[in-house]
């Protein structure tokens, strides 16, 4: 029976084609992982949650929960070779368990749509700063000027709405053409270029005179500032930045060639992604302190600190333009992966063309995105539960749906798939495999559940 299954999987092909090489896959997943989460989100959530202790918890979550869950997603994807919904139904059945696991895939598809609805708005914001940079808006600007520029952009729903529209059109365009074409080239050039420019910025922030303060803020853990809510935020951030918990990586895994090592690919992606986030923090916090800004300022943090830095350096217009172009690219390659599970599902399940599927899903996401567009201006006072529409979407997806998705994916890989199936995909059965299995069977599910229950106050304090 088991050996039959193995040959079945070997023959199974994805409808959407396969990555041309191991490198192409690593680049695509890196393109998905590296995005606004690293450069826009990481610094501001770390800032809001007090710095050091948050960063430490985040790194721990990446290592002991994020990595194993990422490996699980890739191996599930490759074994099923379909969209996340169909893959989980198929594997659930094949292992003699239940087809109902498809609902986990379904939650992921919805999660991706919800995340992209606001991700696209921030992506559009990034795009608009390319134009502001070219126009020299930031040249010689002070803190008051860049803050005013940000506020006038956010206050103008037509401007944000237009850039949100452009960003969605760009995303639909690539997804409609198929993930392999174009994406590989874009990422191959974008990730190294982004890294290089971050290093230029790092040089600048080292010279800002406040590098020590930035370093201390990021790496001196003050556990008194750590609440269970910030632990949950750190865990959510780990999921978000690695693109896991909703099937993006699972969808990409479905196109992975048989011989590629899942462990090595995951490690490479996690390393690249974490380095870029840490680098972003090292660039931004010294600038925050040098300019007397508040690290807990929120979603506008990068859009204030970086223009300020660019405005004061020589060649600032050039660097600033390139930087926002690269960041838009990074956001674009992430957005594509947020849409892929839904589009793959529509293509496979509804037998629609890729173009039509991408346009339909794109339209739904665009409409939802209008809610976020308006939460920065017209509806900024319209608050419920966690705040504005944007804040609610952000909380629902990152702090609830992704950890829950990650928990269920870990349970699926650790308990539903039998030992042989996973050993077969991971191509080994030694100590590293045992470690992975302990992490997905016990550490990840219990850890996620614990943080979850703690943050909603369902577990009492021991002290
Ligand atoms: N990881 C991306 C970023 O850091 C965002 C992203 C892409 C994502 N695909 C995802 C987040 C899937 C969660 C799930 O910007």
């Amino acid at each position: 029976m088991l050996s039959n299954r193995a040959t079945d999987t070997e023959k199974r092909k994805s409808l959407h084609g396969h990555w041309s090489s191991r490198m192409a896959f690593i680049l695509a997943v890196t393109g998905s992982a590296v995005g606004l989460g690293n450069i826009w989100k990481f610094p501001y959530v770390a800032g809001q949650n007090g710095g050091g202790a948050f960063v430490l918890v985040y790194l721990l979550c990446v290592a002991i929960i994020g990595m194993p869950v990422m490996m699980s997603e890739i191996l599930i994807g490759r074994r099923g070779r379909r969209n996340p919904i169909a893959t989980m139904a198929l594997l659930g059945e094949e292992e003699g368990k239940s087809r109902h696991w498809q609902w986990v895939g379904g939650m992921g598809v919805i999660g991706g749509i919800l995340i992209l609805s606001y991700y696209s708005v921030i992506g559009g914001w990034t795009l608009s700063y390319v134009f502001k940079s070219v126009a020299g808006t930031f040249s010689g600007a002070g803190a008051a000027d860049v803050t005013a520029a940000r506020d006038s952009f956010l206050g103008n729903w037509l401007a944000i709405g237009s850039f949100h529209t452009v960003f969605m059109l760009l995303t639909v365009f690539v997804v409609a053409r198929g993930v392999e074409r174009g994406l590989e080239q874009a990422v191959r050039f974008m990730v190294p270029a982004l890294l290089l420019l971050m290093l230029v910025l790092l040089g600048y922030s080292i010279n800002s005179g406040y590098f020590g303060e930035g370093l201390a803020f990021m790496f001196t853990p003050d556990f008194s500032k750590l609440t269970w809510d910030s632990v949950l935020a750190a865990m959510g951030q780990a999921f978000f930045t690695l693109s896991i918990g909703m099937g993006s990586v699972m969808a990409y895994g479905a196109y992975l060639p048989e011989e590629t090592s899942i462990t090595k690919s995951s490690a490479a992606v996690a390393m690249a992604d974490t380095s870029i986030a840490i680098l972003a923090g090292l660039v931004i916090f010294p600038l925050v302190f040098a300019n007397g800004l508040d690290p807990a300022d929120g979603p506008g943090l990068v859009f204030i600190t970086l223009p300020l830095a660019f405005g004061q350096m020589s060649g600032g217009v050039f660097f600033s333009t390139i930087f926002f172009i690269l960041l838009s690219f990074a956001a674009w390659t992430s957005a594509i992966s947020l849409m892929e599970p839904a589009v793959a599902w529509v293509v496979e399940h509804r037998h629609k063309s890729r173009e039509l599927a991408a346009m339909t899903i794109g339209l739904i996401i665009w409409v939802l995105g209008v809610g976020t567009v308006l939460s920065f201006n017209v509806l900024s006072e319209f608050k419920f539960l966690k705040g504005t529409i944007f804040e609610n979407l952000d909380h629902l997806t990152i702090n609830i749906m992704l950890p829950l998705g990650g928990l269920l994916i870990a349970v699926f890989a650790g308990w539903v798939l039998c030992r042989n199936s996973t050993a077969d995909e991971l191509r080994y059965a030694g100590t590293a495999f045992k470690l992975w299995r302990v992490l997905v069977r016990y550490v990840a599910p219990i850890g996620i559940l614990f943080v979850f229950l703690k943050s909603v106050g369902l577990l009492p304090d021991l002290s």
Side-chain angles (χ1 to χ4, degrees):
M1 228 359 230
L2 280 179
S3 58
N4 261 346
R5 262 179 220 152
T7 39
D8 272 359
T9 20
E10 239 129 46
K11 275 192 249 118
R12 213 173 267 159
K13 288 262 183 302
S14 163
L15 196 74
H16 311 271
H18 289 181
W19 303 106
S20 57
S21 65
R22 160 165 180 244
M23 200 53 200
F25 172 74
I26 294 185
L27 284 169
V29 182
T30 309
S32 164
V34 174
L36 296 169
N38 306 59
I39 293 170
W40 161 72
K41 198 161 190 59
F42 173 72
Y44 96 73
V45 221
Q48 284 176 332
N49 289 283
F54 174 92
V55 175
L56 199 69
V57 176
Y58 154 82
L59 290 175
L60 195 71
C61 288
V62 166
I64 65 169
I65 301 180
M67 261 291 284
V69 170
M70 174 176 259
M71 289 167 64
S72 308
E73 274 202 37
I74 303 176
L75 82 84
I76 295 168
R78 181 165 76 183
R79 209 166 172 77
R81 294 249 182 253
R82 319 228 163 134
N83 69 74
I85 299 182
T87 283
M88 294 196 79
L90 176 73
L91 297 185
E93 197 164 51
E94 195 173 79
E95 298 282 341
K97 304 284 182 359
S98 160
R99 286 187 66 82
H100 287 309
W101 282 96
Q102 65 182 324
W103 294 105
V104 178
M107 185 177 80
V109 164
I110 294 171
I113 289 174
L114 293 178
I115 294 177
L116 189 51
S117 80
Y118 64 84
Y119 200 88
S120 165
V121 177
I122 312 293
W125 187 355
T126 312
L127 209 53
S128 80
Y129 270 45
V130 173
F131 296 93
K132 287 213 195 316
S133 303
V134 177
T137 313
F138 308 130
S139 298
D145 306 315
V146 288
T147 310
R150 177 200 60 178
D151 292 344
S152 84
F153 178 71
L154 287 187
N156 183 347
W157 63 267
L158 189 60
I160 320 185
S162 309
F163 279 102
H164 161 55
T165 310
V166 174
F167 190 86
M168 265 326 287
L169 285 173
L170 287 171
T171 307
V172 167
F173 176 72
V174 178
V175 178
R177 282 173 45 109
V179 179
E180 312 88 340
R181 276 186 289 165
L183 184 69
E184 281 185 38
Q185 273 74 12
V187 180
R188 199 178 288 271
F189 138 88
M190 179 222 60
V191 175
L194 189 64
L195 206 60
L196 206 71
L197 218 74
M198 296 291 291
L199 290 174
V200 171
L201 281 170
L202 183 66
Y204 182 82
S205 88
I206 289 176
N207 282 325
S208 68
Y210 284 79
F211 194 65
E213 277 83 346
L215 213 57
F217 182 74
M218 267 183 83
F219 294 113
T220 316
D222 174 358
F223 289 100
S224 69
K225 288 202 191 124
L226 206 64
T227 61
W228 284 103
D229 271 341
S230 21
V231 175
L232 180 64
M235 191 168 79
Q237 175 63 20
F239 279 95
F240 186 80
T241 192
L242 293 175
S243 299
I244 53 176
M246 55 122 316
S248 265
V249 174
M250 200 186 289
Y252 278 14
Y255 320 141
L256 182 64
E258 282 306 324
E259 58 294 347
T260 305
S261 158
I262 291 177
T263 314
K264 285 189 203 142
S265 314
S266 310
V269 173
M271 285 291 289
D273 187 71
T274 311
S275 323
I276 294 193
I278 296 293
L279 204 56
L282 288 179
V283 167
I284 288 172
F285 290 118
L287 297 174
V288 166
F289 298 119
N291 292 290
L293 300 167
D294 176 11
D297 182 65
L301 198 62
V302 242
F303 292 104
I304 292 200
T305 46
L306 295 187
L308 258 180
F310 286 126
Q312 288 153 25
M313 63 173 79
S314 59
V317 170
F318 173 76
F319 282 126
S320 169
T321 309
I322 304 285
F323 177 84
F324 284 109
I325 290 179
L326 288 173
L327 188 55
S328 305
F329 255 109
W332 193 16
T333 53
S334 300
I336 292 163
S337 77
L338 281 162
M339 219 171 136
E340 181 60 21
V343 171
W345 179 77
V346 174
V347 172
E348 287 171 36
H349 191 75
R350 302 251 155 226
H351 307 292
K352 295 281 185 268
S353 72
R354 216 168 216 287
E355 286 81 2
L356 191 63
M359 285 191 282
T360 317
I361 300 287
L363 186 66
I364 296 174
I365 296 173
W366 181 84
V367 172
L368 288 172
V370 172
T372 295
V373 165
L374 300 180
S375 22
F376 290 110
N377 36 67
V378 183
L379 297 180
S380 62
E381 293 309 316
F382 173 60
K383 297 194 172 154
F384 55 101
L385 301 169
K386 296 282 166 184
T388 60
I389 298 178
F390 162 68
E391 284 160 344
N392 276 294
L393 278 173
D394 182 66
H395 180 82
L396 171 68
T397 51
I398 300 187
N399 294 352
I400 299 176
M401 292 178 87
L402 291 184
L404 192 61
L407 170 94
L408 293 167
I409 288 167
V411 169
F412 188 80
W415 297 92
V416 175
L417 298 182
C418 68
R419 192 175 192 284
N420 286 351
S421 305
T422 47
D424 186 34
E425 288 299 329
L426 294 177
R427 305 274 183 275
Y428 54 66
T431 324
F433 177 70
K434 288 199 188 109
L435 175 65
W436 170 80
R437 228 158 163 256
V438 170
L439 292 175
V440 290
R441 281 166 76 92
Y442 305 102
V443 178
I446 295 174
I448 297 170
L449 204 61
F450 183 78
V451 175
F452 227 52
L453 295 178
K454 268 292 189 191
S455 79
V456 293
L458 281 177
L459 284 183
D461 282 327
L462 288 177
S463 55

